[in-house]
Amino acid sequence: MSITCVARIGGSLLRAGREPLCALLGALAQVHTGVLVVPGGGVFDARVRHEAARLRLGDTAAHWMAVLAMDAYGWLLADLLDIAQPVTDPAEARRVAAQRRLPVLLPFSLLRARDDLPHSWDVTSDSIAAWVAAVCGASALILLKDVDGVYPADPLRERDLALLDHVDAGEAARLGVVDAYFPRALARFFGGGECWVLNGLCPERVSGLLRGEIPRGTRVRCSPAGA
């Protein structure tokens, strides 16, 4: 089975606890379309950032420690669902998906072998997921966060702004919804793919998208020249 969709589960969703994460993983597993889960960094990445700043670590050490934090979150996610299974490369992911199990990528070894991304805090699991989607030949990338999607800038902090149904990646980065490198990652690695920001606390939206429905969320498009 080919990997058709990469679903990045953001670290912010870890705060919701076990049951919402299990519901999300279950929704991804029930739609057997070759989904590969990519973990965010969550509290593991936050600890790396803290220690990197405190000890004034170099960019390369901090980068690989942050990727290892994604591995830690991946082990956590895989342990929450009986049919989830940790994998380390696309070939293993395809084999697991063919067994109707849900592959969860531990990205360190794959990234370490290819080392295609800058060693910078501008690169987080958003950009890494775009890169993974390209490496796997996926046609869709879903960034699962604890927000419904992308909202316009809100200098007055009003709460009734309309959710944007689409946005370019550069604007999403400027609004802080994706990392600073993501516009370039999307253009460089995944320019022809479909990318969405969805609320991972609403797993029915994820299931709907995987079944071909248009969910409540925001589609993210490549910025001109990856800006």
Side-chain angles (χ1 to χ4, degrees):
M1 177 181 287
S2 61
I3 298 299
T4 59
C5 177
V6 165
R8 196 296 308 261
I9 297 182
S12 62
L13 295 170
L14 185 55
R15 293 193 295 265
R18 181 184 180 91
E19 289 187 8
L21 280 172
C22 288
L24 174 59
L25 290 164
L28 292 168
Q30 287 169 8
V31 183
H32 298 291
T33 55
V35 176
L36 172 62
V37 171
V38 171
V43 294
F44 310 104
D45 175 80
R47 189 64 188 180
V48 170
R49 287 176 182 261
H50 174 81
E51 296 300 334
R54 185 176 71 89
L55 300 173
R56 298 190 295 278
L57 300 182
D59 289 342
T60 292
H63 173 75
W64 292 119
M65 290 168 66
V67 177
L68 283 169
M70 294 174 63
D71 275 22
Y73 191 21
W75 279 108
L76 182 155
L77 291 171
D79 195 62
L80 293 177
L81 192 71
D82 287 344
I83 64 168
Q85 182 172 327
V87 300
T88 58
D89 60 55
E92 187 180 12
R94 288 191 289 270
R95 289 195 297 272
V96 169
Q99 297 166 3
R100 301 181 78 80
R101 299 178 65 84
L102 181 66
V104 179
L105 182 68
L106 310 178
F108 179 82
S109 60
L110 183 63
L111 277 162
R112 191 83 172 99
R114 305 201 184 197
D115 202 9
D116 287 335
L117 295 167
H119 300 176
S120 165
W121 287 117
D122 287 345
V123 173
T124 72
S125 59
D126 295 328
S127 290
I128 290 171
W131 178 82
V132 169
V135 169
C136 292
S139 58
L141 169 63
I142 309 174
L143 302 178
L144 294 161
K145 299 175 179 280
D146 62 352
V147 294
D148 287 334
V150 181
Y151 289 87
D154 181 15
L156 299 178
R157 298 186 181 275
E158 296 175 356
R159 295 181 178 272
D160 58 352
L161 293 171
L163 180 70
L164 298 174
D165 58 8
H166 66 273
V167 68
D168 74 63
E171 181 64 12
R174 285 188 288 273
L175 292 170
V177 179
V178 295
D179 67 51
Y181 188 76
F182 185 77
R184 282 170 284 176
L186 198 66
R188 179 182 174 190
F189 302 114
F190 197 62
E194 182 178 355
C195 176
W196 286 82
V197 175
L198 297 182
N199 193 330
L201 300 176
C202 302
E204 71 280 357
R205 299 178 189 175
V206 182
S207 300
L209 177 62
L210 293 173
R211 290 194 298 266
E213 301 169 7
I214 302 299
R216 176 174 170 79
T218 301
R219 186 168 182 177
V220 181
R221 297 171 177 169
C222 277
S223 303

